[in-house]
Amino acid sequence: MPLAPGTRLAQYEVTSSIGSGGMGEVYRAKDVRLARDVAIKVMAAHIAADPRMRQRFETEARAVAALSHPSILSIHELGIYEGVPFAVMELLEGHTLRGRLHAGAIPWRETVEIAATIADGLAAAHLKGIVHRDLKPENVFLTKDGAVKILDFGLASHRFDQAAELPTGLQTMPGTVLGTFGYMSPEQVTGEPVDGRTDIFAAGCLIYEMLTGRRLFEGSTPQEIVANVVSDARPALPAMDPVAPPELRAIVSRCVDRDPNRRFASATDLAMALRALLTGSVQRPGSGRGVSGRPSRTRGKSIAILPFVNSSHDPQIEYLSDGITEMIINSLSQLPGLRVVPRSLVFRYKGLTTDPSTIGLALNARTILTGHVAQQGELLSIQAELVDTVTETQLWGERFRQKISDVLALQEDIAWQISEALRLKLTGAQKKKLKKRATVNPLAYQEYLKGRHHWHNWSTESTHRAIEHFERALEHDPGFALAYAGLGNAFGSLAYYGQVSPQEGFPRARAAALRALELDANLSEAHVTLALERFFHGWDWPAAETEIAEALRLDPNLALAYTVRSLIEISCGRFDAALASAQRGRALDPLSPFIAMGTAWALFFAARYEEAIREAQDVLTLRPGLEEAGNVLISANELLGNIEEAAQLIRRQRCWGLTYDADRLLAACRQGGTDAYWRERRAQMESQLHEAPAIVNYSYATVNVLIGDYDAAVDHLEQMVENRAGGSVFIGVNPILVRMRGMPRYDAVVRAVGAPLTQMA
């Protein structure tokens, strides 16, 4: 019997019905103890009467609750109401994928993003031994804030509950859902044992349906659908979105292969193959350009150096396995005619095992290098293997055994042998460059590798630890250029993100970079550090652009340089050029959060807010909680009038270095509109301003403009300029602040910064 509004289940008060599923009814309810809205799924009484089904409901709920994955609906707790089990779940706002499909087919990029997120959730479930077995559009939910959630594990099988397995044949038990025809794999509909690959089959069906708006396996009766699935009678896959990359059709075909052994081996492999389509590495038929208009790349002379495995399982030498990988990447990246997959992409495979063909598809690489590192006293044992990802044959393999002190020589030896195995035609100068061996103190080099290891962990603490190791490296070898370059990177990063004052961080970054270039004039990243310092701290635009040009001359594929060039172009109001530079950087290194932010910033400053929101959301998938991405999301939503969405984001994170009471902000907006919202924002900011960094003046200025208090806005801009806060370089192009153009005080502060603005007289 349905529950009426007002019914209490422990501390939960039912407010309305949401819908029903195979296992029972779902209600919206209020948790009166924690003052939050939740969803409650109450098992149908006739199903609860079956002890086996009751056990399955409870076991499934416990197993899913233990997953704690952002792509899976969260279950808070289990309870009993009048002898019937119920599960308390997070309440989702939005619609199911089925509801989204009512509007028609979904563009291929959005389809891939949804499918990759689904694959992430499936991978987490499979890792716990849980197979969904009923993946369909009704069981995928798209939230208002862009999240994707897998619902209803009511038919899931898992190793924790093998005795409670439901029969998977075609006879339907009254009131029991056994799966949905058209999405079940051949082995599932014929009652054979299933594993995670049955969910991969269903995912392939979903991808096809999202792209075309119709089901892959159709029929007028369940028996006809089953016959089509078992006989693999499906429409031609080219009928999918004609502008989608051909690799997407290959992915769908592999997912829905009748033979489970020919599908993706894991949902993780599927997710990686899908995300590779979003990096700009695929080619449109006949266009000669990649997706989004970026230059295409081919799998001809291409290599992915996967993270070397620490076979000793000793965390103390993790820096060695990571360092060897990174330095081989750096060495091979210098060679012409060879595309080397960037570090940020290959390190997603760290700790994962998958087949070469999947890696080749996911990373668009014809060859992969794998390796194992083990330490035995002062000796290192390294096994390396080069594999063709198309034929899955070994092209080269070698075992090395050398002292740890000779690790630099070992890395260069591997790089040289790889170039030989790939039959790269190198000039004498290129061969000399590849074999170039700097005279470095072995202890200094080990400290340098430790510094790089911490540098890539992306936190304030790890950056400070990186600095400690770089400084120790220089104690062992004062002439070690790479260690100085590392110091420049680290201090520049701390200053950019406000983790040290710009007055302290940028000068130290500049000094380290200059010293690095005195020792080795070919260090392209040191020129990027100098460009950042000249731009954000020196306000010397010509010098910053000169340094970026030199960095790109030395390394035309340096993603970081394109991103910094984009920031410089933004500050000059050259938004189209800035977006092109940012997209070029992201195409080269698509998984770096800093580089990915370049596109979001270019779109935001160009007042293309909806696009900026999408890009910032992508960045948060790379680095959840990154405040810089959250700032763009909040500001863009506010400027679009999406105050509810902005307040939800403010509830979860700091905004421009400050915390806010989102409930008070929403209350103000509901009572007095957006003007009241901004006044409440300013009031909350005032209580924190005395302890906030100088960059907060930037946010304070924009809020005052939106209120109409221009004098107060300029007061804060003047404070920014006086303190040389990094954001000062953007005050002449910020889409809110530019509303003050023509006001003498505002124009004066913009001229004080000195940006060569193309729009100003």
Side-chain angles (χ1 to χ4, degrees):
M1 180 178 179
L3 301 181
T7 303
R8 288 287 293 268
L9 291 74
Q11 76 265 30
Y12 306 102
E13 181 177 319
V14 173
T15 57
S16 62
S17 174
I18 294 177
S20 61
M23 298 289 282
E25 298 284 333
V26 183
Y27 300 90
R28 185 186 187 109
K30 171 72 75 174
D31 182 340
V32 297
R33 187 175 63 189
L34 297 179
R36 65 176 176 179
D37 291 326
V38 297
I40 294 182
K41 184 175 185 178
V42 182
M43 194 175 191
H46 66 280
I47 297 179
D50 183 339
R52 187 175 62 147
M53 295 300 298
R54 185 181 181 119
Q55 180 186 10
R56 165 162 290 284
F57 179 87
E58 295 176 359
T59 305
E60 176 257 332
R62 286 195 298 270
V64 174
L67 290 175
S68 185
H69 190 275
S71 298
I72 296 175
L73 177 70
S74 297
I75 296 180
H76 301 317
E77 66 170 301
L78 289 173
I80 301 290
Y81 172 70
E82 295 184 353
V84 175
F86 67 87
V88 182
M89 306 171 290
E90 65 176 315
L91 180 68
L92 303 178
E93 301 286 352
H95 50 254
T96 65
L97 179 57
R98 174 62 69 204
R100 172 67 175 82
L101 285 169
H102 286 158
I106 300 174
W108 79 265
R109 289 185 66 85
E110 184 182 352
T111 292
V112 169
E113 290 166 351
I114 292 171
T117 307
I118 292 171
D120 289 337
L122 292 175
H126 296 167
L127 189 62
K128 296 286 187 179
I130 300 172
V131 182
H132 192 286
R133 299 203 303 181
D134 196 24
L135 187 65
K136 56 186 177 181
E138 290 80 359
N139 285 339
V140 175
F141 199 90
L142 309 178
T143 71
K144 290 173 64 177
D145 60 1
V148 179
K149 299 277 187 176
I150 303 174
L151 312 179
D152 201 352
F153 278 75
L155 190 58
S157 65
H158 39 81
R159 58 172 172 260
F160 310 117
D161 190 25
Q162 293 296 342
E165 281 292 327
L166 290 173
T168 53
L170 301 181
Q171 298 300 315
T172 301
M173 296 167 55
T176 301
V177 175
L178 298 178
T180 302
F181 298 126
Y183 303 96
M184 290 188 287
S185 65
E187 63 269 25
Q188 187 174 352
V189 299
T190 56
E192 300 172 32
V194 299
D195 55 25
R197 292 172 296 181
T198 198
D199 288 341
I200 290 173
F201 181 94
C205 295
L206 289 187
I207 296 171
Y208 180 86
E209 190 164 351
M210 284 189 279
L211 291 169
T212 64
R214 63 178 185 272
R215 296 189 181 191
L216 180 58
F217 294 100
E218 297 182 304
S220 57
T221 65
Q223 291 79 7
E224 186 177 341
I225 296 173
V226 169
N228 288 336
V229 170
V230 173
S231 63
D232 199 17
R234 48 187 161 99
L237 292 180
M240 291 162 47
D241 186 345
V243 301
E247 288 85 353
L248 184 52
R249 287 188 279 276
I251 288 172
V252 173
S253 181
R254 186 168 177 184
C255 285
V256 299
D257 198 293
R258 191 180 185 285
D259 182 355
N261 293 318
R262 290 201 291 265
R263 296 176 204 152
F264 286 95
S266 71
T268 298
D269 289 351
L270 172 59
M272 289 183 173
L274 287 166
R275 288 199 170 93
L277 304 182
L278 302 174
T279 66
S281 62
V282 297
Q283 185 175 11
R284 287 178 178 166
S287 69
R289 305 278 300 173
V291 294
S292 302
R294 292 189 287 263
S296 64
R297 294 178 288 184
T298 67
R299 294 175 66 185
K301 294 291 186 180
S302 53
I303 186 170
I305 295 92
L306 298 188
F308 277 37
V309 177
N310 175 7
S311 298
S312 300
H313 304 294
D314 180 0
Q316 298 300 317
I317 69 164
E318 196 73 16
Y319 77 93
L320 272 175
S321 56
D322 287 357
I324 290 170
T325 307
E326 183 178 0
M327 299 311 289
I328 294 173
I329 291 173
N330 292 343
S331 294
L332 292 176
S333 295
Q334 302 175 35
L335 302 181
L338 177 66
R339 185 180 69 82
V340 181
V341 178
R343 184 191 190 280
S344 69
L345 278 173
V346 296
F347 266 75
R348 294 196 70 175
Y349 280 84
K350 185 172 181 177
L352 301 177
T353 301
T354 189
D355 62 278
S357 62
T358 296
I359 297 175
L361 180 63
L363 298 179
N364 194 33
R366 177 60 189 260
T367 54
I368 58 171
L369 178 69
T370 62
H372 294 260
V373 180
Q375 182 176 1
Q376 299 165 341
E378 291 299 311
L379 292 177
L380 278 182
S381 176
I382 297 181
Q383 174 70 48
E385 180 184 40
L386 185 67
V387 177
D388 187 307
T389 62
V390 176
T391 63
E392 298 195 9
T393 57
Q394 185 190 67
L395 300 176
W396 167 87
E398 190 68 70
R399 181 180 295 276
F400 301 87
R401 188 174 174 83
Q402 287 183 265
K403 293 181 179 179
I404 294 179
S405 58
D406 292 332
V407 65
L408 178 59
L410 186 149
Q411 292 163 186
E412 292 169 344
D413 193 11
I414 293 175
W416 172 255
Q417 293 199 39
I418 294 300
S419 71
E420 291 287 293
L422 294 175
R423 299 179 180 178
L424 298 176
K425 296 179 180 180
L426 306 179
T427 65
Q430 290 162 351
K431 291 178 181 179
K432 185 177 180 181
K433 185 175 183 180
L434 189 60
K435 284 189 170 183
K436 178 183 177 182
R437 183 171 304 168
T439 303
V440 179
N441 180 292
L443 294 177
Y445 192 66
Q446 289 183 51
E447 290 291 344
Y448 170 74
L449 292 182
K450 291 176 182 177
R452 294 295 296 180
H453 178 73
H454 288 294
W455 161 250
H456 286 295
N457 286 337
W458 268 83
S459 72
T460 303
E461 179 186 0
S462 65
T463 303
H464 282 291
R465 292 188 67 183
I467 289 172
E468 292 174 5
H469 287 292
F470 292 143
E471 289 177 338
R472 288 177 195 164
L474 292 170
E475 289 174 4
H476 291 295
D477 188 347
F480 191 9
L482 287 175
Y484 278 111
L487 276 178
N489 288 340
F491 281 121
S493 173
L494 291 174
Y496 175 82
Y497 285 108
Q499 293 154 350
V500 300
S501 71
Q503 291 86 346
E504 174 191 356
F506 279 126
R508 297 187 70 176
R510 178 175 176 80
L514 287 172
R515 179 59 177 150
L517 291 171
E518 286 178 9
L519 297 166
D520 185 347
N522 294 317
L523 294 177
S524 55
E525 286 198 7
H527 285 287
V528 177
T529 299
L530 291 177
L532 277 170
E533 186 276 334
R534 288 291 82 197
F535 177 51
F536 281 109
H537 188 66
W539 298 348
D540 185 343
W541 272 261
E545 291 183 317
T546 297
E547 295 294 347
I548 285 298
E550 181 62 12
L552 290 173
R553 184 189 69 80
L554 292 169
D555 185 353
N557 293 318
L558 184 57
L560 182 64
Y562 287 102
T563 301
V564 175
R565 186 173 77 179
S566 173
L567 294 175
I568 296 171
E569 289 165 337
I570 288 172
S571 72
C572 299
R574 303 197 299 266
F575 299 127
D576 289 342
L579 183 58
S581 294
Q583 288 175 331
R584 175 61 175 155
R586 188 165 190 180
L588 289 167
D589 195 352
L591 297 184
S592 165
F594 174 78
I595 289 169
M597 275 304 304
T599 306
W601 281 125
L603 291 166
F604 177 80
F605 279 101
R608 294 163 62 174
Y609 301 128
E610 292 181 348
E611 295 170 86
I613 286 172
R614 288 195 293 271
E615 292 295 332
Q617 287 172 335
D618 285 348
V619 176
L620 288 175
T621 65
L622 301 176
R623 182 157 180 92
L626 182 65
E627 187 173 322
E628 192 174 357
N631 291 339
V632 171
L633 277 177
I634 292 167
S635 298
N637 273 296
E638 288 173 333
L639 293 172
L640 287 170
N642 303 330
I643 301 300
E644 293 275 351
E645 288 82 352
Q648 291 297 332
L649 291 161
I650 286 173
R651 182 174 282 116
R652 296 198 297 264
Q653 70 152 77
R654 289 164 63 86
C655 176
W656 298 102
L658 300 178
T659 58
Y660 295 91
D661 185 329
D663 292 330
R664 284 168 50 198
L665 290 171
L666 281 174
C669 184
R670 288 163 183 163
Q671 292 172 10
T674 54
D675 184 69
Y677 172 86
W678 291 116
R679 291 184 183 279
E680 176 62 28
R681 266 262 251 141
R682 182 170 69 173
Q684 293 189 34
M685 292 174 73
E686 286 175 343
S687 64
Q688 305 175 68
L689 191 58
H690 66 283
E691 58 188 25
I695 188 61
V696 172
N697 285 289
Y698 188 92
S699 181
Y700 210 116
T702 60
V703 170
N704 276 292
V705 170
L706 291 165
I707 292 172
D709 192 345
Y710 294 158
D711 285 336
V714 178
D715 287 344
H716 287 283
L717 294 181
E718 289 173 345
Q719 289 183 45
M720 284 184 66
V721 173
E722 181 180 345
N723 289 282
R724 297 191 85 83
S728 301
V729 295
F730 299 117
I731 62 177
V733 291
N734 179 280
I736 300 169
L737 299 178
V738 295
R739 299 178 190 182
M740 297 188 291
R741 278 189 187 153
M743 293 177 55
R745 286 185 65 204
Y746 171 72
D747 290 349
V749 79
V750 172
R751 283 193 293 269
V753 176
L757 294 171
T758 57
Q759 311 99 313
M760 296 192 68

